[in-house]
């Protein structure tokens, strides 16, 4: 039987909201100097919070990044995060649920959905599906297999002649739909504190802005983009779409972000009016970045782990606290789960590797922390391993595809253009040793595992639902 003291302690615990955005680059936020993207609602929220301007992902794509975020362990530690999330990993929702939280998860990406084990520890978990419009034409275009039919230029030309200009179907819900699901849960009465996680896919390929109506020519260009992308899947992201298409894709990405910011404005307004807002902490972040061909690849399927693919936003709002506006020290995604547990006054399991960032919310001059590791492997069945390490003003990248290393003095070379790696140099050797120590830990755990998954046996653990498979193909996860 729960004691009155325990019930009182639970009622005093803060609510926690975690907002994660797929593919959100760290330089695409209004707070960033020189950003061409306007995010007024996110900026307004950030002025009541702390922006960690040098926050880096632990993984180059969703599965391994979100595994690190929720477990505060690296993907390479336990079987390289292949298959469902391993039982050995401590999960954030598990810890909060055990502490008496009502845990609710809503994701629009099946890669961090229930089939992958991300529902662990959630009382309620929703893999939200794209909404099919109500008109007959839109319903026809949303049928499984219609994309193959509509990808034929003559078919689209005929439809245009009869006044139909179909958009390619969106493989994921937009922010408004995810937020509506979240707000409906917040409006329910809660007899204990809640933890709400919302995951957004608005910025993920295929870039398809809903900010404004598109002309028939613009819709035709979107279809051609998808066909081009499909035809170049085997080139590991190393294809040059040309200057015109590149600029259009960047513009579509910015428009999607600005439209998402508008939906976030509706969410924040609702939160500000919430009765228990003064006892609610909010964490806003991303899983990984997005490459725009700065170093020869697009999107993140073959993430090179340069800044554009690894640097991601992190904004933390701690209720009833005077916070510093910006923390510039380098921090890691692996610190998010410990930070949330600290905000909830829940003990951190010893198996979580990260450190709480709550001390930084009030102390802008806190000293630099440990090396920050980011990994890449497993996307689109690739067994190629990449690792980046940031520490002491340097950025090191090991590229398993070419079996070579790079080193950048990022205090002077923020865009990571001038490689200074030299295996005989003391700084290069130090990073080589950090890499070998980090990777050996993961391989030792694989050898100890009862059911190791190695080589080509990379699994998605998706069910046989053809709609899920088609969504994963449209998002670029499967051939």
């Amino acid at each position: 039987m729960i004691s009155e003291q325990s019930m009182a302690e639970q009622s005093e615990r803060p609510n926690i909201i975690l907002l994660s955005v797929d593919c959100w680059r760290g330089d695409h936020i209004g707070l960033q100097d020189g950003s061409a993207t306007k995010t007024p609602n996110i900026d307004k929220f950030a002025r009541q919070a702390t922006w960690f301007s040098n926050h880096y992902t632990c993984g180059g794509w969703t599965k391994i990044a979100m595994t690190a975020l929720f477990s505060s362990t690296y993907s390479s530690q336990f079987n390289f995060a292949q298959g469902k999330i391993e039982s050995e990993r401590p999960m954030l929702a598990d810890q909060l649920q055990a502490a008496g939280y009502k845990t609710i998860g809503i994701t629009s990406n099946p890669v961090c959905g229930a089939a992958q084990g991300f529902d662990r520890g959630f009382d309620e978990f929703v893999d939200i599906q794209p909404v099919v419009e109500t008109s007959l034409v839109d319903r026809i275009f949303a049928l499984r297999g219609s994309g193959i039919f509509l990808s034929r230029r003559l078919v689209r030309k005929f439809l245009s002649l009869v006044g139909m200009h179909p958009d390619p179907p969106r493989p994921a819900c937009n922010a408004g739909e995810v937020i509506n699901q979240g707000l409906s849960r917040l409006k329910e009465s809660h007899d204990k504190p809640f933890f709400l996680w919302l995951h957004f896919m608005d910025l993920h390929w295929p870039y398809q802005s809903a900010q404004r109506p598109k002309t028939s020519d613009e819709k035709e260009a979107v279809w051609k983009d998808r066909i081009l992308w499909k035809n170049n899947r085997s080139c590991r992201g190393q294809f040059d779409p040309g200057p015109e298409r590149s600029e259009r894709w960047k513009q579509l990405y910015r428009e999607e972000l600005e439209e998402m910011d508008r939906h976030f404005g509706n969410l924040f307004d609702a939160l500000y009016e919430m009765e228990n807002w003064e006892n609610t902490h909010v964490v806003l972040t991303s899983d990984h970045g997005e490459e725009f061909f700065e170093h020869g690849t697009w999107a993140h399927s073959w993430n090179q782990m340069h800044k554009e693919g690894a640097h991601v936003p992190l904004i933390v709002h701690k209720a009833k606290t005077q916070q510093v506006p910006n923390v510039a020290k380098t921090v890691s995604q692996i610190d998010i789960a410990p930070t949330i547990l600290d905000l909830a006054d829940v003990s951190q399991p010893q198996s979580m590797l990260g450190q709480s960032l709550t001390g930084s919310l009030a102390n802008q001059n806190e000293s630099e922390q440990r090396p920050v590791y980011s990994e890449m492997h497993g996307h689109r069945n690739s067994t190629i391993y990449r690792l980046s390490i940031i520490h002491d003003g340097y950025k090191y990248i090991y590229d398993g595809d070419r079996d070579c290393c790079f080193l950048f003095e990022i205090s002077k070379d923020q865009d990571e253009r001038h490689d200074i790696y030299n295996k005989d140099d003391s700084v290069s050797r130090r990073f080589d040793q950090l890499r070998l120590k980090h990777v050996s830990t993961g391989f030792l755990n694989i050898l100890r595992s009862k059911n190791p998954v190695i080589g080509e046996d990379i699994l998605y653990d998706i069910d046989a639902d053809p709609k899920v498979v088609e969504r994963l193909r449209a998002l670029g996860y499967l051939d």
Side-chain angles (χ1 to χ4, degrees), residues 309-324:
H311 177 224
V312 294
L314 174 62
I315 301 171
V316 180
H317 166 78
K318 183 179 180 182
K320 298 181 290 189
T321 303
Q322 185 68 34
Q323 298 180 222
V324 296

Side-chain angles (χ1 to χ4, degrees), residues 275-376:
E275 183 179 351
N276 51 6
W277 167 244
E278 291 300 320
N279 195 35
T280 300
H281 307 316
V282 181
V283 176
L284 171 60
T285 190
S286 172
D287 54 353
H288 54 77
E290 188 82 335
E291 298 171 325
F292 291 159
F293 211 66
E294 291 92 343
H295 289 88
T297 49
W298 267 97
H300 57 277
S301 294
W302 300 94
N303 200 324
Q304 304 294 305
M305 304 316 298
H306 285 284
K307 186 173 184 178
E308 57 272 12
H311 177 224
V312 294
L314 174 62
I315 301 171
V316 180
H317 166 78
K318 183 179 180 182
K320 298 181 290 189
T321 303
Q322 185 68 34
Q323 298 180 222
V324 296
N326 174 238
V327 172
K329 72 172 183 177
T330 304
V331 298
S332 171
Q333 190 178 57
I334 210 167
D335 298 323
I336 291 179
T339 300
I340 290 175
L341 291 176
D342 196 9
L343 290 171
D345 196 23
V346 175
S347 298
Q348 174 182 335
Q350 288 186 350
S351 50
M352 284 190 173
L353 300 181
Q355 299 177 345
S356 172
L357 300 175
T358 55
S360 300
L361 302 178
N363 182 8
Q364 195 170 12
N365 297 316
E366 197 175 25
S367 61
E368 192 79 7
Q369 291 189 342
R370 303 164 296 171
V372 170
Y373 297 89
S374 301
E375 300 176 314
M376 181 61 188

Side-chain angles (χ1 to χ4, degrees), residues 166-277:
D167 271 324
R170 287 195 75 103
C173 298
N174 66 29
E177 294 166 299
V178 177
I179 287 168
N180 287 339
Q181 292 259 1
L183 289 178
S184 68
R185 270 66 175 187
L186 292 183
K187 291 175 182 175
E188 298 171 1
S189 59
H190 300 280
D191 57 358
K192 51 185 177 180
F194 64 79
F195 168 62
L196 173 66
W197 168 46
L198 304 179
H199 187 78
F200 302 90
M201 286 286 284
D202 299 60
L203 305 185
H204 198 287
W205 174 267
Y207 310 134
Q208 192 170 338
S209 171
Q211 189 180 61
R212 55 180 173 76
K214 291 188 284 295
T215 66
S216 58
D217 288 342
E218 287 175 318
K219 291 182 179 182
E220 177 65 16
V222 173
W223 278 108
K224 290 180 179 178
D225 289 345
R226 290 205 185 185
I227 296 166
L228 175 71
W229 193 271
K230 181 179 179 182
N231 292 339
N232 284 278
R233 281 178 176 172
S234 62
C235 70
R236 302 183 175 185
Q238 297 175 6
F239 71 96
D240 186 352
E244 183 277 329
R245 184 175 265 117
S246 295
E247 288 308 311
R248 182 160 51 79
W249 285 358
K250 293 175 187 178
Q251 179 61 30
L252 286 171
Y253 182 92
R254 287 192 293 268
E255 289 181 7
E256 287 181 324
L257 178 52
E258 290 168 2
E259 177 67 8
M260 187 187 73
D261 178 79
R262 185 180 68 79
H263 289 298
F264 271 34
N266 297 333
L267 171 62
F268 294 141
D269 287 344
L271 294 180
Y272 300 150
E273 295 174 3
M274 198 168 62
E275 183 179 351
N276 51 6
W277 167 244

Side-chain angles (χ1 to χ4, degrees), residues 325-438:
N326 174 238
V327 172
K329 72 172 183 177
T330 304
V331 298
S332 171
Q333 190 178 57
I334 210 167
D335 298 323
I336 291 179
T339 300
I340 290 175
L341 291 176
D342 196 9
L343 290 171
D345 196 23
V346 175
S347 298
Q348 174 182 335
Q350 288 186 350
S351 50
M352 284 190 173
L353 300 181
Q355 299 177 345
S356 172
L357 300 175
T358 55
S360 300
L361 302 178
N363 182 8
Q364 195 170 12
N365 297 316
E366 197 175 25
S367 61
E368 192 79 7
Q369 291 189 342
R370 303 164 296 171
V372 170
Y373 297 89
S374 301
E375 300 176 314
M376 181 61 188
H377 56 83
H379 194 285
R380 298 181 54 74
N381 291 347
S382 168
T383 55
I384 293 168
Y385 181 76
R386 291 190 180 92
L387 175 70
S388 73
I389 309 171
I390 299 176
H391 192 49
D392 286 345
Y394 291 92
K395 167 82 171 280
Y396 170 95
I397 297 176
Y398 167 73
D399 184 353
D401 191 11
R402 291 173 282 181
D403 192 24
C404 60
C405 303
F406 304 90
L407 186 67
F408 307 95
E409 191 172 1
I410 54 176
S411 57
K412 301 177 182 177
D413 180 20
Q414 295 185 4
D415 295 330
E416 302 167 16
R417 295 291 182 184
H418 306 291
D419 175 27
I420 60 172
Y421 178 81
N422 181 340
K423 65 180 182 180
D424 297 322
D425 174 70
S426 61
V427 176
S428 298
R429 287 201 306 271
R430 176 162 57 89
F431 277 95
D432 284 338
Q433 291 166 1
L434 288 173
R435 169 176 62 90
L436 293 172
K437 181 179 179 181
H438 178 84

Side-chain angles (χ1 to χ4, degrees), residues 93 96-98 100-105 119-126 192-195:
L96 293 172
Q97 187 183 56
Y101 272 78
K102 167 75 172 179
T103 51
I104 306 164
D119 58 338
R120 217 175 91 195
F122 283 97
D123 298 309
E124 182 181 359
F125 194 89
V126 181
K192 51 185 177 180
F194 64 79
F195 168 62

